[in-house]
Amino acid sequence: MTTHARPDGELPPSLEARLAAEAPALRAYLRRLNAHAASGEEVDDLVQESLVRALRYASSYDAQRPLGAWLRTVALRVLLDQRARERRAPQREAD
């Protein structure tokens, strides 16, 4: 598998702007996947973490492929990681 990593660590031109433009669609995607979310804040947190992770792993993005599909894959991993953390967390009893 070939990645198009930049040796100097720079982001591809305008990737940040393109990620920002994808944020509303990403929010809708995560809202559908996380329908049980107690609030929009939880979805917003997932969007933010997805964008941060996308920037962190920007070197793995292949500019020949659709950005939205790659970003949804990143977001899905963020959601699955969050759910795994929730399952591992000790359950607190209600008072």
Side-chain angles (χ1 to χ4, degrees), residues 16 21 28-29 33 41 46 49-50 54 59 61-62 66 71 84 88:
E16 286 186 51
Y29 173 73
L33 289 180
E41 283 184 20
L46 290 168
E49 179 58 30
S50 298
S59 64
Y61 171 61
D62 179 356
L71 189 55
R88 287 190 305 262

Side-chain angles (χ1 to χ4, degrees), residues 10-81:
E10 290 182 18
L11 295 176
S14 73
L15 180 61
E16 286 186 51
R18 292 177 62 204
L19 288 173
E22 290 284 338
L26 186 62
R27 184 172 286 106
Y29 173 73
L30 285 166
R31 192 175 309 274
R32 283 190 308 272
L33 289 180
N34 201 29
H36 76 280
S39 70
E41 283 184 20
E42 185 177 344
V43 173
D44 288 342
D45 289 345
L46 290 168
V47 170
Q48 182 176 359
E49 179 58 30
S50 298
L51 294 172
V52 166
R53 198 176 291 187
L55 288 171
R56 184 179 312 138
Y57 296 105
S59 64
S60 71
Y61 171 61
D62 179 356
Q64 302 299 317
R65 299 195 173 266
L67 178 64
W70 178 76
L71 189 55
R72 285 189 300 276
T73 300
V74 171
L76 178 60
R77 293 302 317 160
V78 167
L79 177 61
L80 293 174
D81 290 349

